[in-house]
Amino acid sequence: MKFPEYETYDATGLARLVREKDVSAGELLDAALDRIEARDGKIRAIVKPMYDQARRAVAAGLPDGPFTGVPFSLKDLGVFAIGTPTTSANGLFAGLVADHDSAVVSRYRKAGLVILARTKTPEMGLSITTEPRLYGPTHNPWNLAYSPGGSSGGASASVAAGYMPMAHATDGGGSIRVPAAFCGLFGLKPSRGRISAAPDFGEGLAGMATNHCVSWSVRDSAALLDVSAGPEPGDPYAAPPLERPLAAEVGAPPGRLRIALCTTDFLGNPVDPQCAAAARDAAALCESLGHHVEEARPDLGDVSPLEAWRIVPATNLLHVATARARALGREINDEDLEPVHRAWMEIARRTTAADYLKAISGMHALARRVGAFLERYDLILTPSTGVPALKLGAVDTSGADAERHIALLFAEIAPHTALFNQTGGAAMSVPLCRTKEGLPLGVHFAGRLGDEPKLIRLAAQLEEARPWFGIRPTMAW
């Protein structure tokens, strides 16, 4: 395959070429590796090459699936792949090499995907930018001075830079949707329980975290969820079953949706004017497509959306880091974590079991309030982020003020996304707008638990009305 042709196809299109024998899986792998070799010296999105494993998989013969031969990557967080480490960008885990695949990784392989690398994440996935001390920053392909976002920043930068048409990502507070917004991609967060965390975990972050992907096209995201969704034995819960494959929702009429537009944060505080304008522009586009849009936002009462994000990640971090240090035969020390994460972990040391349960009860109270609001509306439309772009270095993890750090992440940079990790509802970022400087600017739609079909139908309609697939970074590689 000629070098320029690879990026003119999404994953579904590349798989069709392989199926029709117009190109081989080996040629697609070569095209992906060529791009990584040419570009990743500047982007720095890849932390663990798996090129030999990928070549062996191709040589052995790939399963016949919907994505046979398509290059793919795994985020360096949350999932295991046999024979490779999952470091979470923390030195404690550098030697933790998996002896098995996570269930979702097994499903990726059965779909025919060729896993060629691990992509970078901030330390323990606990930031909205991807600048871990262990590996250094990942750069946004649209402008190298900017962050691709986080925590799926390496995944999003890889797709935006053309290494692969979609990549595995995770989302516990916006980690799919925020980097998708900053990198001009489509990012869907599935409903709680849609994708199993088996066999190693029951849930992540008290049910706030999930796996899926970032992609250029809506149809790729839908088709990948079709192959990766579904419960495994012993799961604590599962999302409502889908009536038909999500791929069938692409191009299906969404009907006339009732959409609530919120151009502030959910407490009524202003966000950057460019972000608010992007949401209004998306609202106008939705109205032109026949949907009903009116300004409204859910009343969250006296429950702070930040409280669960203070307590739950802190206790998770304390548990995971301490257990890993003890597995290495020692206690955790001050150098094992970046300073702000060490301070965040100290919140857990001061947290009682009653405090933890109070935070979980707050999540459930927010879900009840948002659920009641979504009895009147189909979806909530907001900006994807509270700032139009994020320069590298703007989020400093070398300080010890965890409270300020949490507020920066979830009250300033991404004030809309984390709420729907707490409710468990499906949500997505759609790349409909641009900043004054020409950088991508996403808009966010969120719904109920099980609303993936509704979101995919609307996303495909928006994609057709305002195509973004061919709008790529123009930097000189």
Side-chain angles (χ1 to χ4, degrees), residues 91 194 208 309 369 390 470:
R194 180 68 67 203
M208 289 193 287
W309 257 94
R369 286 180 172 270
L390 187 66

Side-chain angles (χ1 to χ4, degrees), residues 316-336:
N316 182 79
L317 181 58
L318 177 62
H319 168 67
V320 171
T322 302
R324 178 58 182 164
R326 289 179 178 168
L328 295 172
R330 63 180 180 82
E331 296 298 312
I332 194 166
N333 63 53
D334 286 350
E335 298 306 311
D336 287 328

Side-chain angles (χ1 to χ4, degrees), residues 243-336:
E243 293 183 0
R244 61 177 181 171
L246 277 178
E249 307 295 351
V250 177
R256 188 172 190 259
L257 299 175
R258 299 163 297 159
I259 300 174
L261 169 66
C262 176
T263 59
T264 65
D265 71 11
F266 289 122
L267 301 178
N269 301 307
V271 298
D272 186 278
Q274 289 192 72
C275 299
R280 286 192 290 270
D281 176 72
L285 177 59
C286 288
E287 287 182 317
S288 74
L289 295 170
H291 303 297
H292 172 76
V293 183
E294 62 182 67
E295 292 206 34
R297 70 171 189 270
D299 178 8
L300 303 185
D302 59 357
V303 181
S304 169
L306 292 183
E307 189 60 18
W309 257 94
R310 287 183 69 254
I311 299 296
V312 174
T315 52
N316 182 79
L317 181 58
L318 177 62
H319 168 67
V320 171
T322 302
R324 178 58 182 164
R326 289 179 178 168
L328 295 172
R330 63 180 180 82
E331 296 298 312
I332 194 166
N333 63 53
D334 286 350
E335 298 306 311
D336 287 328

